[in-house]
Each structure stands twice: as structure tokens, then as C-alpha cells.
Amino acid sequence: NPIIDLHDVSVTFQSNGKTLHAVNHVNLQINQGDIYGIIGYSGAGKSTLVRTINLLQQPTTGTVTVSGRHLQQLSNPDLRTARKKIGMIFQHFNLLNSRTVLNNVEYPLLSQSINKHDRRAKAKKLLELVGLGEFEASYPEQLSGGQKQRVAIARSLANDPDILVSDEATSALDPKTTNDILKLLKHLNETLDLTIVLITHEMQVIKSVCQHVAVMDQGKIIERGPVADVFSET
Ligand code: ADP
Ligand code: ADP
């Protein structure tokens, strides 16, 4: 069974009296443990589609099933719990600048029933996992872009998610740093059995880490399959 199953999902927005079909009757199944790329031009609907996976964006039609649960049928507390199992990272790292790196990673754990000592220990372990063990007392502004993204990745893992959604997470980074972050994502995919949904507009990013890819255009998936089949090397 797929860990993510979007069935006939549409999202429409009203603007200037017109209806915009940002996502237009999309079906998408993603298997546990996959690194699944979603590529397309800006405005294709990638972010909107992926935001339906945790109902940050409510679909206008269709059903969203994650880990076998139909999310639209959950009570609000159950939905909050389900959302914690979906981590997210973005192009802009969304770190708290007035907090240390360690505090940033601890942040998602503050609302959990976990004591301070265990919270600290967990955050430190996550920082080591992303290669930033020595930076726990630093502030985000003292870090490079790649390091900030590593902090954001550590934070996204605080609640032991099953799924990580990466929305253009390498788009602001240089090619070398992009590569390092992609290697880290691959490592997390393999060691934590983390399913990764990776939005990008760069084919090279898809080619270097994804197993499957869907190509979006004007709210629809216009092609999909194993990366080697969708993007031939010739
Ligand atoms: P992508 O991630 O592929 O760049 P988006 O999902 O961000 O595309 O956007 C798809 C379309 O939906 C765009 O035309 C965008 O302007 C529009 N859109 C996205 N979010 C909203 C919103 N909250 N209100 C109105 N229009 C939106
Ligand atoms: P991304 O490229 O990552 O989708 P955007 O800058 O397009 O980022 O969107 C950032 C936020 O603005 C999202 O919450 C999106 O839903 C919203 N948004 C995007 N386009 C529009 C729009 N035309 N009108 C209103 N909100 C929008």
C-alpha cells in the first residue's frame, strides 16, 4: 500500500472573479521509502499539491490518505498528531534567528510531553545526524545557507516523521552545497526509512536522488514514472 495516496485531488482558488485550478484532479501514489520528485515550472501547482498531503491546503475535491488514514475524516487532535509525522523543509529555512541552533531543533518538541533533559539529548543527536554537532550554541545568522538548511532538516526530524516534504529546499544553494544536502537527504532516506517528497524545478536534483518523478504542468501531472524512464539520458 502507498504511504501517500492522493485520489482525484483538486485545489481551486478564486481570484478577480475567476476560478484558478491550481491542482486539477490529480491522482498520486507514493510508496514507503521512496524519494519521489515533483518537477515543473513555477506556478505549475507543485507546492499546492504537496501542501494537501498534510492538509495545510484543503483540497476542493478528492481524498488524501496518509499511512492508511483518510486525513479529512480525522478529528482536529488526530490531524495534529498525523501532521507531526510529516516534516517539511523549504527554500527559506524559517529558523528562529533569536534562538540558538539547539533551541531551533528543540522547538517542535516543546509541545510534547518530553522532559527538558530528553528534549536536549534528542536535539543534540539530531544535530549530530546532520553533521552540525559543534554548532549547537551558534545562532542561525552565523551559519552558511547549507548549514541553515541542515538545522531545518534536524528540526523537521524532531517528531520522528515518516515523511519529509522538501519544497525547493536546495533552490537557494550553490551546486556543491546542493549536492551535500541531497546526499544528506539520501542518507536519511536510507537510515531512517524516511519517505521523501521532493519539489524542485531543477532536473539535475531529480536525477541525482529521486527514484520516481512526476512532471506537473498547469495543475496536472503530465508524465510520471521511474526517473530513468521519464528523463532519458540521450
Ligand atoms: P509551484 O509550487 O509549482 O510554483 P504553486 O502551487 O505555488 O505552484 O501555485 C500554483 C498556482 O496557484 C499559481 O498560479 C499560484 O499563483 C496559485 N496559488 C497558490 N496559492 C494560492 C493562494 N493561496 N491563493 C491564490 N492563488 C494561489
Ligand atoms: P512557492 O514557490 O514555494 O510555492 P510562493 O511564493 O509561490 O512559494 O507561495 C508562498 C505562499 O503564498 C504560499 O502559502 C502560497 O499558497 C501563497 N500564494 C502563492 N501564490 C499566491 C497568490 N497568487 N495569491 C495568494 N497567495 C498565494
Side-chain angles (χ1 to χ4, degrees):
N1 279 353
I3 185 167
I4 298 168
D5 189 354
L6 305 180
H7 178 73
D8 192 33
V9 165
S10 297
V11 178
T12 57
F13 296 112
Q14 304 300 328
S15 70
N16 301 326
K18 283 201 236 161
T19 302
L20 171 72
H21 294 269
V23 175
N24 202 343
H25 297 286
V26 166
N27 289 296
L28 180 64
Q29 283 84 36
I30 297 178
N31 288 328
Q32 161 105 33
D34 209 345
I35 305 184
Y36 200 108
I38 300 181
I39 192 168
Y41 296 115
S42 180
K46 306 182 298 295
S47 290
T48 305
L49 177 68
V50 160
R51 285 159 55 86
T52 67
I53 294 173
N54 52 12
L55 297 190
L56 284 178
Q57 175 66 59
Q58 276 286 349
T60 317
T61 69
T63 54
V64 177
T65 309
V66 175
S67 301
R69 277 181 304 190
H70 181 182
L71 294 194
Q72 290 125 312
Q73 290 175 345
L74 297 182
S75 63
N76 281 331
D78 286 347
L79 179 59
R80 273 198 293 279
T81 305
R83 277 185 176 144
K84 288 189 175 128
K85 293 292 161 189
I86 307 174
M88 293 192 83
I89 54 174
F90 305 94
Q91 175 170 358
H92 305 291
F93 318 108
N94 302 339
L95 300 175
L96 299 168
N97 288 320
S98 64
R99 307 290 175 85
T100 63
V101 162
L102 188 67
N103 282 164
N104 268 278
V105 178
E106 280 185 290
Y107 192 78
L109 296 170
L110 292 175
S111 60
Q112 311 288 70
S113 54
I114 167 172
N115 69 48
K116 188 169 167 178
H117 175 270
D118 291 349
R119 200 170 68 220
R120 287 265 130 115
K122 181 155 197 192
K124 286 185 189 207
K125 215 174 103 191
L126 288 169
L127 279 173
E128 268 155 36
L129 183 64
V130 301
L132 285 183
E134 297 154 46
F135 290 85
E136 61 171 68
S138 301
Y139 286 85
E141 65 186 7
Q142 299 173 292
L143 305 181
S144 68
Q147 289 170 330
K148 284 183 202 168
Q149 194 57 282
R150 285 171 190 270
V151 176
I153 290 168
R155 180 186 54 187
S156 77
L157 297 175
N159 284 310
D160 304 312
D162 304 312
I163 298 166
L164 177 65
V165 172
S166 168
D167 189 348
E168 300 281 5
T170 59
S171 296
L173 306 175
D174 63 67
K176 158 89 171 69
T177 309
T178 291
N179 232 338
D180 292 344
I181 294 291
L182 294 177
K183 272 192 202 150
L184 173 61
L185 293 180
K186 179 93 190 139
H187 176 73
L188 298 173
N189 163 255
E190 286 166 358
T191 56
L192 305 176
D193 195 25
L194 187 66
T195 304
I196 300 180
V197 184
L198 194 155
I199 298 181
T200 182
H201 62 279
E202 294 177 286
M203 199 188 291
Q204 199 47 50
V205 166
I206 301 278
K207 283 184 173 177
S208 64
V209 283
C210 296
Q211 279 122 39
H212 295 91
V213 63
V215 183
M216 271 194 96
D217 187 34
Q218 297 184 58
K220 290 183 185 290
I221 293 179
I222 57 169
E223 256 194 275
R224 71 177 88 205
V227 171
D229 295 353
V230 174
F231 301 132
S232 69
E233 292 298 321
T234 51

